[in-house]
Structures are given as C-alpha cells and as structure tokens.
Amino acid sequence: MTSTHAFWLAGRQATGESDFDVTSPWDGTTVGTVSLPTDAQVEEAVAAAYAVRDEFAATPAHLRAAALDHVSRRLAERTEEIARLISAENGKPVKWARGEVGRAVSVFRFAAEEARRFNGGEAQRLDTDAGGQGRLALTRRFPKGVVLGIAPFNFPLNLCAHKIAPAIAAGAPIILKPAPATPLSGLVLGELLAETELPAGSWSILPVPNDRMPALVQDERLPVISFTGSETVGYAIMDSVPRKHCTLELGGNGAAVVLADWASDEDLDRAAARIATFSNYQGGQSCISVQRVIADAAVYDRLLPRIVAAVEAQVTGDPNDDATDVGPLVSEAAAERVAAWVEEAVTAGAKLLTGGKRDGASYAPTVLTDLPADTTLAHEEVFGPVLSVQKVTGEAEAFAAVNDSKYGLQAGVFTHDLQAAFRAHRTLEVGGVVIGDVPSYRADQMPYGGAKQSGVGREGVKFAMDDYTYERVLVLTGLAL
C-alpha cells in the first residue's frame, strides 16, 4: 500500500513538523504516514489563495477545463490503486471503493464540461419600461472568494472531489481539509492537480487537525465554507461565522416507503434487495443510506421476512475481498456507539430480528421492528448498518412518518402510481425523492442537499458552482435595440 509523508501546499508538495499514522479500521495496520502542516504553512496557503483569487477568476475556461479533464483521466487510469487505498484507510469494501473512484472520475469530467459553458452571461433588455430605453443588462457570475472545503471520512475521495472540482471550474481558489481518519485519498487529488498548469495558490490540500480548524473557519480571507459532516459541527461552524456563505451537507435518517401497490412477488423481492444493500453499503456510513423502512400494512407481512433474508445474505468481512458487501465501520469507537444505540432500543422494547453483534470495528447488519419513538435510533442518524421497519396504513400515514423527523435529506418511494409519485414529491420534506428505489441514489451532476436539519445549500457540480459565485450585472447604455 502506498504511503505518503507529504501534503499539498499552494500547489506544491510540502512536509510539516509532525507526522501521524493512518491505520486500517479492518486490521489496524498502518496504511500511510501523513505530515501535519505547521501554522506558518497554513498561513502561507491562505495568503497564496487570497492573493491569486483575481488572477484565478480571470483564467480562461479552457485552462481550468483542461486541468479538470486531466484529473478525471488520471483517476480512471489509477482506479484499482486508488480503490485499494480508499478501502485500506476507510474500511470500505473494495468493490464499493471502485465505484467511488468511478464517481470521482465523473465529477471532474462534469466540472470540465461546466467550466466550458459556465458564466456565458445572460442578456436582458431593459426597455420594457420607458426609463430603460436603449439599455441592456448583462448578468454574469463571479467567485465570492476563496473556498474552505471540509470533507468527511465516508467518501474520502468523491466528497473531496465535490469540493475541489466545482471550485476550480468556477475559478474560485480552494483550501481543502480532508477528514483526519482518511486523508490519503484526498492527497491523491493533490498529486494529480500538481500535474496541471493551474496557478500556484489556486488550490491546497491540508490535513489540518480538527482542533486547529476554528482559526481557519474564522479567517476573513475565506468567505465561503463548504462542509460535509455532522449536524453538530456544521451548525457550530455556521453559528460562528454568521456573515460567511456556508453550504452544509449534514445528516439524514433516510426512509424507504413501500406503498400498497408495490405488491407482486417480484416487486417485494426487488425492494427487499435494494433496502438490504443500501442500508449496509459503506457499513451504513452514508447520509442517504436506508435507516427506516415504512411499509404499508397491505405488503408489510410479505416484505419483512424478505428484508431480513436479504440483510442476512449480505457478505461481511475483509474489505479487500471482492465478495465482501459490508466491511468495518471507520473505527471501533463508531461501532461501540452503534451497539449502544441498538442496545438502548432493544431494552426499550424494540424487537431485534437479526444482527445486533459487534466484533471490533465491525457491526453485523441489523434489522429492528417496533422501535419506540423516544429512542436515539428513532430520531438520530445511526451512521451504521442498522435498519428499522415500521408498519403504516395508507399513503398519508406513510408520508407523515417520513416527515416525522428533524432530518430531510432524501426519501425513496416504491410505487407504480404516477399520481402517488407526484404527491410524494409535493408532500415529503426532503431535498430529493427517488421513485421506485431507495433514497440512496445520487447522481453527481444533480442538485444534492437537504431540508430541515439536513443542511443548507446544494452540491452537485453546477449547483455548487452557483453556490461559490454571485451574480454581477453590467448595464449597457445608448444601444439601438
């Protein structure tokens, strides 16, 4: 496995004063050693990004697009190597890690395409009123300034890509902080960006420890913060910098609704298989993993045993094995927390149908029913391979159950009824509704984000570019329109 001691400072490789080891959550082996930037080096990165902001905003689209295309190609060329690195530092089964690399390839490709067509300008004639005769407004978008991107551990490559690629496409310098548990995948992006001709200072990738982040968050030279992570940390950041622009992609407790018309054996088999897969993929460590199944009473009794069987069929074990579906959580502490929440739920009266066992950092795929509403599992994001199944009567009760949550990221609705699909879209208080599938589907070019306490703003390449920029109007006078 590749190890590194370097980070990327203002576009060049650098080392700091102290190192820390990145270890595998599967077997505890050292995956790599990362050097921590000093305070002086962090200041150098911020100063360089701030100094280059006007130059970078004015770079031609073809230069930024070529750099993004280059990263996309190089990721594709090194797919297996990088997938093995993701799996080693994160514990994600390698087959899911390959999918993550593929998604990052697409993110940089989408960003290259958007860089070529973004900010072409929109013309608006103003002579619709007499006072605007001979005048034309041209609206273009310009970067708000340097972006501070803060990425999580669960998709250590692709969620770094979702910070970096839109910023480069929009001409906004970015300083990326990868998660402390999984910095190596993010640093690979630095390696690839260093092969491009982007101006020095337009990007830095700094594995800054969490306890040193408040100073970066508060720095006035970084007016845009894009954060993906926990609700607690995200809102603490926003509250600490009320005058900054913050995009927060926070948690969820994704619901999959199975309505009464999804009733054939084939339908129920497909729903059970999709639910089992996507309650456990990434070890359940995804904001849009299936945490709640809300099934109509008309199908509940036939669906539940199918879900249990499909969950029990998930292959757990060594993430390096291509056959493995479910690997360890990111740490033993994470698995201990999940175990404690399940134990609390069972003590309170929930029925444990399968799973409920911990082995180090691994937690067995788990299914519960009769989950009491006042338990932690019922209202928080478990971020582990745990699923609860609830019986309801009718569409209205099902949709009300989805909305009975402080979160609102995405929901899945299994139905063939087109009218029910549109009612779901109108009724469900979430950022995305997926019909005929689980809430875990995300296309990297579509708008992605939540309602309520699942965050503010939207990711997805073009939508993040909008978030990183603002409209500026140019009024031309004395024209013969």
Side-chain angles (χ1 to χ4, degrees):
M1 183 57 59
T2 301
S3 63
T4 180
H5 294 267
F7 54 86
W8 296 91
L9 170 64
R12 71 179 193 279
Q13 213 167 25
T15 56
E17 293 181 346
S18 60
D19 294 342
F20 71 94
D21 290 335
V22 179
T23 58
S24 165
W26 170 245
D27 58 14
T29 57
T30 298
V31 181
T33 303
V34 174
S35 181
L36 296 177
T38 64
D39 289 342
Q41 287 169 324
V42 172
E43 168 58 28
E44 182 182 345
V46 174
Y50 186 75
V52 82
R53 69 194 189 284
D54 291 338
E55 175 190 344
F56 192 44
T59 54
H62 71 83
L63 187 149
R64 286 177 277 117
L68 294 161
D69 274 331
H70 173 83
V71 175
S72 180
R73 286 193 302 271
R74 295 285 286 133
L75 286 170
E77 292 167 359
R78 296 173 60 180
T79 292
E80 188 64 20
E81 170 202 345
I82 297 171
R84 295 285 173 182
L85 179 64
I86 292 170
S87 182
E89 70 172 344
N90 171 278
K92 180 178 301 192
V94 70
K95 68 180 182 182
W96 289 111
R98 292 189 190 105
E100 179 173 351
V101 179
R103 289 181 60 186
V105 169
S106 295
V107 167
F108 278 94
R109 186 182 75 249
F110 295 147
E113 294 166 356
E114 291 296 343
R116 292 184 174 98
R117 60 177 168 247
F118 186 72
N119 202 22
E122 179 181 347
Q124 181 183 17
R125 63 186 306 157
L126 302 178
D127 60 356
T128 52
D129 284 329
Q133 187 168 338
R135 297 177 186 267
L136 181 76
L138 180 67
T139 303
R140 297 172 59 197
R141 299 190 71 89
F142 293 86
K144 294 172 180 173
V146 183
V147 177
L148 174 60
I150 306 172
F153 69 82
N154 56 328
F155 289 86
L157 180 75
N158 195 43
L159 292 183
C160 288
H162 270 287
K163 308 299 182 190
I164 294 172
I168 291 173
I174 181 165
I175 294 172
L176 177 79
K177 175 204 176 299
T182 56
L184 300 174
S185 302
L187 291 174
V188 167
L189 294 177
E191 183 180 337
L192 302 184
L193 285 166
E195 299 170 355
T196 72
E197 297 180 1
L198 294 174
S202 58
W203 59 273
S204 292
I205 300 176
L206 305 179
V208 179
N210 289 342
D211 61 3
R212 289 169 53 195
M213 282 305 295
L216 265 178
V217 168
Q218 295 287 337
D219 197 305
E220 294 183 358
R221 294 169 293 180
L222 309 176
V224 179
I225 297 176
S226 178
F227 171 86
T228 302
S230 74
E231 170 195 356
T232 301
V233 176
Y235 283 121
I237 288 173
M238 176 176 276
D239 291 344
S240 72
V241 286
R243 291 178 176 82
K244 289 195 177 190
H245 178 88
C246 293
T247 297
L248 305 180
E249 199 280 280
L250 307 177
N253 54 4
V257 176
V258 185
L259 293 180
D261 71 289
W262 197 269
S264 71
D265 288 340
E266 182 181 358
D267 283 344
L268 296 177
D269 286 344
R270 181 176 187 277
R274 298 293 287 175
I275 288 165
T277 297
F278 288 97
S279 63
N280 295 293
Y281 85 128
Q282 330 289 340
Q285 297 169 123
S286 168
C287 299
I288 46 177
S289 66
V290 183
Q291 184 171 332
R292 299 182 290 155
V293 175
I294 299 164
D296 193 279
V299 297
Y300 178 90
D301 290 338
R302 295 167 57 217
L303 176 64
L304 180 59
R306 285 175 160 89
I307 290 175
V308 173
V311 167
E312 291 178 341
Q314 296 286 300
V315 178
T316 62
D318 185 349
N320 295 296
D321 188 336
D322 280 356
T324 297
D325 299 310
V326 186
L329 275 69
V330 73
S331 67
E332 188 165 351
E336 289 172 347
R337 177 191 55 76
V338 172
W341 287 16
V342 172
E343 182 179 353
E344 176 205 28
V346 172
T347 300
K351 293 180 182 177
L352 178 66
L353 302 187
T354 191
K357 298 177 181 178
R358 181 181 71 85
D359 181 8
S362 296
Y363 196 79
T366 297
V367 180
L368 300 163
T369 59
D370 301 332
L371 182 64
D374 60 351
T375 58
T376 307
L377 271 175
H379 56 82
E380 296 293 341
E381 178 181 42
V382 64
F383 228 57
V386 178
L387 176 69
S388 67
V389 186
Q390 174 184 356
K391 182 192 295 187
V392 295
T393 301
E395 176 189 301
E397 187 177 341
F399 291 173
V402 174
N403 288 340
D404 186 20
S405 171
K406 66 179 179 178
Y407 296 114
L409 192 46
Q410 292 198 162
V413 181
F414 288 91
T415 183
H416 297 291
D417 184 342
L418 185 60
Q419 293 298 327
F422 277 94
R423 287 192 295 268
H425 194 213
R426 182 178 64 245
T427 304
L428 298 181
E429 299 166 350
V430 295
V433 178
V434 183
I435 301 299
D437 207 350
V438 292
S440 315
Y441 175 77
R442 177 184 180 184
D444 292 286
Q445 70 271 39
M446 77 181 191
Y448 176 76
K452 299 191 282 190
Q453 293 186 40
S454 285
V456 295
R458 290 294 181 267
E459 292 195 335
V461 176
K462 176 184 180 298
F463 305 92
M465 292 169 69
D466 286 343
D467 236 15
Y468 293 167
T469 57
Y470 69 98
E471 293 176 319
R472 187 186 298 168
V473 177
L474 174 69
V475 177
L476 301 173
T477 304
L479 302 178
L481 297 176

